């Protein structure tokens, strides 16, 4: 297989997140990770795992079990990372290490604003219907989310004020269902 080497620039939306992180550190004694659940780590080869696709550009790590988020470039065919789908890579989720979670970074942030928890995104492969999603969300996430309500409102407001173009995604289940119909994962790995 021919591997495309492209030197990607950090996209503007990710630069906005870096600015938000800086503001949180300077003015609020916190970090983006404290509020959203991942820290920014753009295109650092040390953040890659055996299951990170070759054409993925890592942009964030959760700090748990090697879990990380990346832009998927479809073997370099996507040149603007603002347009690249977002994947969630979980080295410890054997058999399901790579999950498509958003059409692009702005949609990823919109999903977080709606859900108030990024780890919900990994679970969509288990849901057979919308009711499964709603029940799982209510049973496993809602209590903790309510405890963090002030923090959630604060970071959601910061994101909306500082990242231009975040849209509302009112029906997350429908969004993810349609996303998986529209984008088929093509995973590229180096042959050893």
């Amino acid at each position: 297989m021919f591997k495309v080497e492209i030197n990607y620039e950090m996209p503007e939306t990710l630069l906005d997140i870096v600015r938000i992180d800086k503001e949180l550190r300077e003015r609020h004694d916190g970090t983006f990770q404290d509020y959203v659940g991942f820290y920014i780590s753009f295109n650092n080869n040390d953040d890659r795992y055996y299951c990170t696709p070759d054409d993925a550009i890592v942009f964030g790590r959760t700090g748990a079990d090697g879990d990380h988020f990346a832009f998927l470039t479809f073997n370099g065919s996507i040149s603007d990372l603002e347009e690249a789908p977002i994947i969630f890579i979980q080295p410890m989720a054997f058999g399901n290490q790579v999950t498509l979670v958003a059409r692009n970074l702005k949609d990823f942030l919109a999903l977080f604003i709606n859900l108030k928890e990024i780890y919900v995104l990994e679970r969509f492969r288990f849901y057979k219907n919308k009711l499964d999603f709603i029940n799982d969300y209510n049973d496993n996430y809602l209590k903790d989310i309510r405890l963090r309500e002030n923090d959630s409102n604060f970071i959601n407001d910061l994101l909306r004020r500082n990242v231009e173009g975040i849209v509302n995604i009112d029906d997350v289940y429908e969004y993810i269902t349609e996303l998986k119909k529209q984008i088929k994962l093509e995973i590229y790995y180096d042959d050893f």
Side-chain angles (χ1 to χ4, degrees):
M1 181 183 79
F2 177 73
K3 183 177 174 186
V4 177
E5 294 285 336
I6 298 175
N7 187 14
Y8 285 96
E9 298 278 328
M10 187 180 287
E12 189 61 38
T13 301
L14 194 55
L15 287 169
D16 291 339
I17 292 171
V18 169
R19 288 189 279 272
I20 290 169
D21 186 57
K22 183 177 180 192
E23 179 180 334
L24 290 170
R25 291 171 190 275
E26 292 174 353
R27 296 185 183 158
H28 304 284
D29 197 31
T31 67
F32 191 78
Q33 181 181 15
D34 296 336
Y35 289 92
V36 180
F38 74 91
Y39 60 90
I40 299 106
S41 178
F42 183 69
N43 207 12
N44 181 344
N45 283 331
D46 292 339
D47 292 333
R48 302 181 76 79
Y49 278 73
Y50 72 95
C51 56
T52 305
D54 289 344
D55 57 340
I57 307 298
V58 176
F59 71 84
R61 300 190 48 92
T62 67
D65 294 332
D67 293 355
H68 53 289
F69 294 96
F71 301 101
L72 186 62
T73 68
F74 292 101
N75 211 25
S77 66
I78 295 177
S79 58
D80 182 358
L81 293 182
E82 288 287 347
E83 302 302 320
I86 305 302
I87 54 175
F88 191 15
I89 301 123
Q90 298 177 280
M92 305 306 278
F94 302 107
N96 294 298
Q97 290 95 338
V98 180
T99 304
L100 177 67
V101 294
R103 188 169 288 109
N104 55 50
L105 187 54
K106 285 183 176 141
D107 280 7
F108 177 71
L109 296 174
L111 290 167
F112 170 78
I113 287 170
N114 183 302
L115 296 168
K116 298 171 182 61
E117 170 61 55
I118 59 172
Y119 268 96
V120 176
L121 295 171
E122 73 165 324
R123 299 180 59 84
F124 275 84
R125 66 179 166 265
F126 301 121
Y127 306 140
K128 290 181 176 49
N129 54 51
K130 191 172 185 176
L131 186 58
D132 285 351
F133 159 64
I134 292 168
N135 288 338
D136 182 55
Y137 185 83
N138 289 341
D139 293 346
N140 295 305
Y141 296 98
L142 197 54
K143 182 179 176 184
D144 287 338
I145 289 168
R146 285 186 175 144
L147 294 174
R148 301 185 317 254
E149 188 171 4
N150 289 337
D151 287 346
S152 291
N153 291 339
F154 171 73
I155 195 64
N156 288 351
D157 181 56
L158 261 181
L159 287 167
R160 289 202 179 278
R161 282 189 289 116
N162 291 287
V163 180
E164 189 175 321
I166 294 178
V167 298
N168 287 331
I169 297 176
D170 295 322
D171 189 333
V172 173
Y173 183 81
E174 181 68 23
Y175 173 92
I176 297 290
T177 301
E178 287 303 310
L179 175 71
K180 291 183 180 198
K181 289 178 188 174
Q182 296 167 3
I183 299 174
K184 300 298 179 202
L185 286 182
E186 295 176 28
I187 308 293
Y188 299 97
Y189 297 105
D190 267 340
D191 295 328
F192 293 99

